[in-house]
Amino acid sequence: VDAGTLPELNAAELEAQLARDSSSLISAETSVMQVMLQLKALLNLDAAAPFDIATPPVDMIPVENLADLQPESVYALALVNLSQQKVIDLRLQAAKKSVDVAKGQMYPQITGFGSLSTNYVNLKEPIYTSGTPQATSAFVTVGSSNYSVYSPSFVKVGEKAVSLGSQLNKNFSQNIGIGLGIPIFNGGSARSNWERSKLQVKNWELTKEQDNQTLKQNVYKAYNDAVAAIQKYNADRKSVETAIKSFSFAQKRYDLNLLSTFDLINSQNNLLRARTQSLYSQYDFVFKMKLLEFYRGQGIKL
């Protein structure tokens, strides 16, 4: 433009494009900051804490072969490995055990019990000796003679310790017994509990069937999404190749003053959009494949 070989419109268009690109860059950086704040909130991190993420090259992320992720095989593995399916199976088993318990409450119950016990107290036994007999008011008549009745007396002369073995032996006791309980007067509550427990088993069986159907639909949907994603990614890659050729031709024509600045910028923007869409399609394809890996319940390869 300064040399007079191009009109001023070319320079104005380039300056306008620079301003638009600068605005887009600022908007993109702002979006990144907002998303980082949201990620901190999800991780329960302080908003002021330094934080950054590592973005692995998408080409380095291992992806399974789509042929190895057929929906039927993925669904079969999901039924065995997914934690949600295991939880439902365990709850169904618990419900079946509850039926057995409720049924057992309707039968007579025989109980048995027994016990052995003894004790020891740290006490001492008193030691007594015979004292002088004491006359009482009673008497005995023998023939024509009356004789007074004397009661013996004892005098405590000391104490002696009782051995542990002796006390345990003297205080030893035991008992044994059996009991019989017949559930007759319970107002039918035992049978009602039994019927309710069988209904609970039916509910869990229906829940398991419904959950399996939902899982199968999700697996097939994820497979179809992965197929569509890889087709779209392949199409976007071809679009990038075409856009590169188109921009190369546009650049050559621009260098020869055969193309306006506006058309060159438009071709450049088409190339950038194609690359952006291809990158988005690639990440979307990888995500869809990782979702299929997740449904297998065998972990996700990173």
Side-chain angles (χ1 to χ4, degrees):
V1 172
D2 293 339
T5 58
L6 292 177
E8 294 183 0
L9 177 62
N10 289 26
E13 289 176 348
L14 287 175
E15 291 176 355
Q17 182 64 33
L18 177 59
R20 286 192 295 268
D21 290 343
S22 300
S23 177
S24 299
L25 177 61
I26 294 174
S27 298
E29 291 175 344
T30 303
S31 298
V32 170
M33 294 176 61
Q34 292 175 349
V35 173
M36 292 289 285
L37 289 175
Q38 294 175 5
L39 185 58
K40 287 182 180 180
L42 290 174
L43 297 175
N44 199 23
L45 297 176
D46 185 76
F51 181 79
D52 198 1
I53 58 174
T55 305
V58 65
D59 295 331
M60 301 299 294
I61 300 177
V63 178
E64 292 283 343
N65 191 346
L66 188 61
D68 299 332
L69 296 174
Q70 294 299 312
E72 280 299 326
S73 61
V74 172
Y75 173 66
L77 291 173
L79 290 177
V80 178
N81 297 322
L82 282 185
S83 58
Q84 178 64 24
Q85 312 309 120
K86 294 180 180 179
V87 168
I88 294 179
D89 287 337
L90 292 175
R91 288 178 177 174
L92 179 58
Q93 294 177 17
K96 291 180 179 180
K97 290 296 182 180
S98 298
V99 172
D100 296 336
V101 172
K103 186 177 181 180
Q105 292 177 351
M106 295 189 299
Y107 290 99
Q109 297 180 359
I110 300 177
T111 59
F113 60 90
S115 68
L116 301 174
S117 64
T118 185
N119 61 74
Y120 164 76
V121 182
N122 187 19
L123 296 178
K124 294 182 179 180
E125 289 185 347
I127 301 175
Y128 294 95
T129 187
S130 299
T132 303
Q134 302 292 327
T136 65
S137 58
F139 61 90
V140 176
T141 302
V142 179
S144 59
S145 302
N146 294 328
Y147 297 95
S148 298
V149 178
Y150 288 81
S151 65
S153 63
F154 299 93
V155 179
K156 181 179 179 181
V157 297
E159 294 179 338
K160 67 175 181 178
V162 182
S163 65
L164 173 63
S166 176
Q167 287 200 43
L168 295 180
N169 183 51
K170 290 180 180 180
N171 297 324
F172 181 74
S173 63
Q174 63 276 346
N175 65 80
I176 189 173
I178 59 174
L180 175 64
I182 303 177
I184 298 178
F185 305 105
N186 56 18
S189 61
R191 181 168 292 275
S192 298
N193 292 335
W194 181 48
E195 295 294 338
R196 280 195 296 268
S197 62
K198 290 193 294 183
L199 287 176
Q200 189 66 25
V201 171
K202 291 293 183 181
N203 288 335
W204 280 114
E205 288 176 347
L206 292 174
T207 300
K208 179 179 179 180
E209 182 179 356
Q210 182 180 7
D211 191 77
N212 289 345
Q213 291 178 355
T214 302
L215 175 62
K216 191 169 188 178
Q217 291 175 355
N218 292 337
V219 169
Y220 270 83
K221 182 179 182 301
Y223 178 80
N224 292 333
D225 290 343
V227 172
I230 191 173
Q231 292 176 349
K232 190 174 186 306
Y233 171 54
N234 291 332
D236 288 338
R237 284 196 305 173
K238 292 182 179 180
S239 177
V240 171
E241 294 175 0
T242 304
I244 291 175
K245 291 181 180 180
S246 177
F247 178 70
S248 177
F249 293 148
Q251 183 69 52
K252 292 178 180 179
R253 294 186 64 191
Y254 178 78
D255 294 340
L256 297 174
N257 294 329
L258 298 177
L259 190 69
S260 67
T261 305
F262 175 79
D263 292 332
L264 177 66
I265 292 174
N266 187 45
S267 178
Q268 183 185 30
N269 288 339
N270 290 337
L271 175 59
L272 292 176
R273 281 193 294 267
R275 285 175 172 171
T276 302
Q277 183 60 42
S278 176
L279 185 61
Y280 174 82
S281 299
Q282 188 175 9
Y283 273 107
D284 185 61
F285 161 66
V286 171
F287 171 75
K288 297 295 174 54
M289 296 297 294
K290 293 303 176 183
L291 185 60
L292 276 176
E293 292 182 18
F294 164 77
Y295 277 124
R296 291 191 308 178
Q298 297 177 332
I300 299 177
K301 295 181 179 180
L302 299 176

